[in-house]
Amino acid sequence: MTPHEFITSSKKKIGLIAGGQLGKMLGLAASNFGIEVSVMDGSENAPARAIAKNFTLGSYNVFDDVVNFGSRYDCLILELEHVDIDALRVLEEKGVDIIPPSKVLSIIQDKGKQKLFFQKNGFASSQFKLIENKEDLNTKIDVGEISFPFIQKSRTHGYDGKGVVKINAKKDLVKAFDVQSVIEEFVEIKNELSVITYRSREGEVGYFEPVEMIFDANEHLVDMLISPSSISDDLKQKAIHIACSLIETLDFYGLLAVEFFITHDDEILVNEVAPRPHNSGHHTIEAHLCSQFEQLIRIAVGLPLGSSEQIHASVLLNLVGDKHSKGKVFYENIDDCFKIKGAKFHIYGKTTTKPFRKMGHVTILDKDINKAITKAKQIKQTLKICTNETA
Ligand code: ADP
């Protein structure tokens, strides 16, 4: 089918699991081409429902829900990693085109397998040990196989810093999880960088300009993303090269976000990868010729790749729920923030807030990156995402 035939016939049906903010932004990119997507999510209030042709209530980790939903589409796009893998395998056998495919997801769903994949394929990453449970952890500490400080990451179901804990000394072991985990040496990080790469069905690989991620030190949660970053060109080129090799080695078409640590000795370590649109690429909607979302839609339906060239410097600020609030959402002082020049708001439309829940983001465009950073800090200090309900 030629691109023109495709958009006029709309023969290819696209399903999306699940319906969070990534799904919403993906659906918006699809609708610009006149392409409709249908969504399955476990919540009636899923953000992507606003753009869905059809909405199905169902859970991404329930085998039957995934098979029943997926069977209705030619192409299934996943906006999160934790989808039931057996269901995806069944769908692939039936001929459903899944992005990312189950072979990639089975590695990435499990942080232990991910680390083993990096090790086996020569991608430098932090030193690690795998443990079965807390008892195993204690034994490995006692025999000197694991030493403090370290980072514990649960092998499955972690996201946005959940399932990640830093253990500095024996007294912190009360915080350790009693689950199969990766224990990583604590890396003294100078910078964190993300590179989003993409690969077409024909094997053409490209990337978006690296982004510097500034983290909330306490919550292991991305606070602000700066693009272009202040990191040296030499390090950026190395990171781009590694990221492109990773998507080639995983051998699939779609998007791959690669997160890196840069140490004080300028060593580049891969932290983790995500085979989907990524929070570190939301600014590509306004700051690049073609966004990560548009690129994924182009790949999914076989349109030519778009240009990922950056056209504006930008700072992205995540808008997260206040740490003391839970309930119906209230955006305190948001009117003042809307007045800020170059601030592009994306409110995801979630009806309830909870501590650190991602409720939206704002991309700030400014020719002067330092001014954009100042504006982002101003919004962070002014806007409070809370609830005005009394407990
Ligand atoms: P998630 O999947 O929840 O995003 P990550 O593995 O990316 O979890 O960890 C979240 C953050 O925790 C990282 O971005 C980094 O700031 C910190 N972190 C993770 N691993 C290490 C490590 N080995 N050493 C030091 N800090 C780490």
Side-chain angles (χ1 to χ4, degrees):
M1 226 189 276
T2 66
H4 180 263
E5 279 164 353
F6 181 82
I7 57 166
T8 47
S9 73
S10 230
K11 280 211 184 87
K12 197 161 183 164
K13 287 192 288 174
I14 298 185
L16 185 61
I17 297 178
Q21 60 269 17
L22 298 172
K24 181 179 176 187
M25 289 182 266
L26 204 54
L28 287 168
S31 73
N32 287 338
F33 287 110
I35 297 167
E36 290 163 333
V37 297
S38 298
V39 173
M40 182 181 92
D41 195 278
S43 162
E44 294 273 9
N45 298 320
R49 192 166 186 169
I51 52 79
K53 179 176 187 324
N54 297 299
F55 178 78
T56 301
L57 195 63
S59 182
Y60 58 80
N61 51 18
V62 173
F63 178 90
D64 286 341
D65 287 358
V66 175
V67 172
N68 291 338
F69 176 77
S71 307
R72 289 185 238 145
Y73 302 96
D74 305 310
C75 177
L76 197 59
I77 303 181
L78 312 179
E79 61 132 33
L80 79 178
E81 285 94 330
H82 308 300
V83 184
D84 188 280
I85 202 86
D86 294 327
L88 296 178
R89 288 188 181 122
V90 167
L91 290 170
E92 281 168 342
E93 272 165 30
K94 288 187 179 188
V96 181
D97 176 26
I98 302 183
I99 310 177
S102 64
K103 66 163 189 179
V104 169
L105 219 57
S106 68
I107 300 171
I108 287 166
Q109 277 183 347
D110 177 339
K111 290 193 178 194
K113 282 194 191 162
Q114 226 186 102
K115 291 291 276 187
L116 293 167
F117 170 84
F118 297 150
Q119 194 176 53
K120 183 171 158 233
N121 292 284
F123 293 104
S125 173
S126 60
Q127 298 294 323
F128 71 101
K129 286 267 172 344
L130 300 181
I131 57 144
E132 285 304 312
N133 48 34
K134 207 164 171 174
E135 196 188 326
D136 190 19
L137 173 63
N138 287 327
T139 311
K140 288 195 164 75
I141 292 170
D142 288 344
V143 298
E145 270 186 47
I146 291 173
S147 44
F148 301 106
F150 61 79
I151 298 270
Q152 180 183 18
K153 298 182 181 180
S154 74
R155 285 182 67 159
T156 53
H157 297 108
Y159 68 98
D160 285 349
K162 295 176 186 68
V164 176
V165 65
K166 183 179 177 197
I167 307 285
N168 285 313
K170 208 158 192 150
K171 66 173 174 36
D172 292 339
L173 282 170
V174 284
K175 292 192 286 183
F177 315 122
D178 192 14
V179 292
Q180 283 196 320
S181 308
V182 180
I183 303 296
E184 291 183 19
E185 63 164 342
F186 181 76
V187 178
E188 295 291 348
I189 301 170
K190 187 170 76 173
N191 304 100
E192 297 200 38
L193 200 67
S194 166
V195 182
I196 297 179
T197 61
Y198 47 86
R199 189 164 181 252
S200 72
R201 288 174 187 266
E202 292 74 33
E204 190 184 337
V205 171
Y207 61 90
F208 291 89
E209 171 71 22
V211 170
E212 189 170 345
M213 303 186 285
I214 312 290
F215 276 75
D216 179 312
N218 298 318
E219 304 300 331
H220 298 300
L221 193 68
V222 183
D223 210 17
M224 223 185 260
L225 297 115
I226 301 173
S227 177
S229 73
S230 58
I231 289 157
S232 74
D233 281 346
D234 179 43
L235 283 172
K236 274 192 212 174
Q237 288 310 321
K238 283 185 183 148
I240 289 167
H241 176 74
I242 297 168
C244 291
S245 313
L246 268 161
I247 197 168
E248 298 265 20
T249 309
L250 283 165
D251 188 24
F252 73 107
Y253 45 84
L255 299 179
L256 186 75
V258 184
E259 294 183 33
F260 295 96
F261 297 149
I262 298 181
T263 69
H264 292 275
D265 305 328
D266 282 347
E267 194 188 354
I268 303 186
L269 302 173
V270 176
N271 173 28
E272 62 171 1
V273 298
R276 55 166 171 79
H278 196 252
N279 187 249
S280 64
H282 291 349
H283 66 291
T284 60
I285 295 174
E286 290 95 357
H288 289 246
L289 281 177
C290 172
S291 74
Q292 59 167 346
F293 302 102
E294 178 181 334
Q295 199 70 295
L296 182 53
I297 292 297
R298 283 172 173 265
I299 293 166
V301 302
L303 302 180
L305 289 175
S307 163
S308 56
E309 186 184 325
Q310 183 159 18
I311 44 174
H312 291 291
S314 72
V315 173
L316 182 138
L317 177 74
N318 279 320
L319 304 178
V320 300
D322 172 67
K323 67 173 165 191
H324 300 298
S325 303
K326 197 174 173 185
K328 190 165 178 291
V329 64
F330 181 75
Y331 298 91
E332 199 174 289
N333 302 326
I334 199 163
D335 291 353
D336 291 335
C337 299
F338 285 146
K339 292 177 194 152
I340 294 173
K341 189 176 164 193
K344 305 283 197 181
F345 278 81
H346 294 251
I347 302 294
Y348 300 150
K350 297 177 185 176
T351 48
T352 56
T353 184
K354 56 187 176 189
F356 304 109
R357 185 174 194 199
K358 281 186 189 152
M359 301 298 288
H361 74 260
V362 51
T363 301
I364 298 131
L365 305 176
D366 197 305
K367 286 189 200 88
D368 180 343
I369 195 81
N370 291 319
K371 283 195 184 142
I373 294 171
T374 307
K375 288 176 186 174
K377 288 184 179 159
Q378 192 185 340
I379 295 171
K380 190 172 154 79
Q381 276 163 12
T382 312
L383 176 63
K384 189 171 168 196
I385 303 182
C386 52
T387 173
N388 60 0
E389 287 174 332
T390 41

